[in-house]
Structure formats: C-alpha cells, structure tokens
Amino acid sequence: MTIPPPPLPGSQCPFPVRRTDPLGASDRMLWLCVWATILGLIGSGSALRGVLVILAGAAPGWYQPTLAAVGLLGVGLTVAAFAVVRRDRLPWLLLGLATVPLLVNVGLTVTAL
C-alpha cells in the first residue's frame, strides 16, 4: 500500500482518505465504466419508453415526476461513484445504490403502463 502525499502547506485534511492506487487502476476504472454503461443503456430504454407513453398521454399523473426524480437520483449516484473512484469500496457501493433506482424505474415503467 502506498502512502498518499502529504497535504499542501497551509491546508488541513480533516478526514483521512484511504486510496487503493494513487494513479488509479485501469482494471478498476474499466469495470466501473462497464457497470455504468449497463446502467445507462437499461435506463435509457426505460426512459425512452416512459417518454413515449407520456407524449402519447397514456401515463398516470404521478408517473412523469416519479420517473424524473428516481432517474436523477440514479444518475447522481453514478456520477458520485466516478467522483470517488480512488476510494477502496465506495465507488462499488454507490454503483450498487444506483442500480436500485434503475430497477425501480424499470419496474414502474413495466407495471404502470
């Protein structure tokens, strides 16, 4: 395990950061990208079907805001996973949490329409 460089003079690091690799691991980034791509493709399919049904006027009133809110939550969690890519387990946890809203959106799209 490598030790991260000391903080710059005059700055303080209030929380210790445990990093797996100071330069970022290529394999780790590859699998994070694969997982995020799968989430994006499935989410795009669900969103496309939802938008088409909304434009057709066949969606219930609660569906559009729910689809948007849950979708934005999933995207935010995915972005957060890439923001903390150098952490040990946190990116995987965030992508796992991002999968939950995606499954909720797919479930709502299939059952509500």
Side-chain angles (χ1 to χ4, degrees), residues 18-37:
R18 182 172 176 232
R19 298 174 185 221
T20 57
D21 184 10
L23 300 176
S26 297
D27 291 344
R28 176 186 191 80
M29 183 61 95
L30 172 69
W31 289 113
L32 285 171
C33 289
V34 166
W35 191 347
T37 300

Side-chain angles (χ1 to χ4, degrees), residues 18-76:
R18 182 172 176 232
R19 298 174 185 221
T20 57
D21 184 10
L23 300 176
S26 297
D27 291 344
R28 176 186 191 80
M29 183 61 95
L30 172 69
W31 289 113
L32 285 171
C33 289
V34 166
W35 191 347
T37 300
I38 292 169
L39 290 177
L41 290 173
I42 294 171
S44 294
S46 175
L48 180 63
R49 180 170 185 227
V51 167
L52 291 175
V53 171
I54 290 169
L55 291 176
W62 57 266
Y63 179 72
Q64 183 176 359
T66 305
L67 179 74
V70 175
L72 286 175
L73 175 65
V75 169

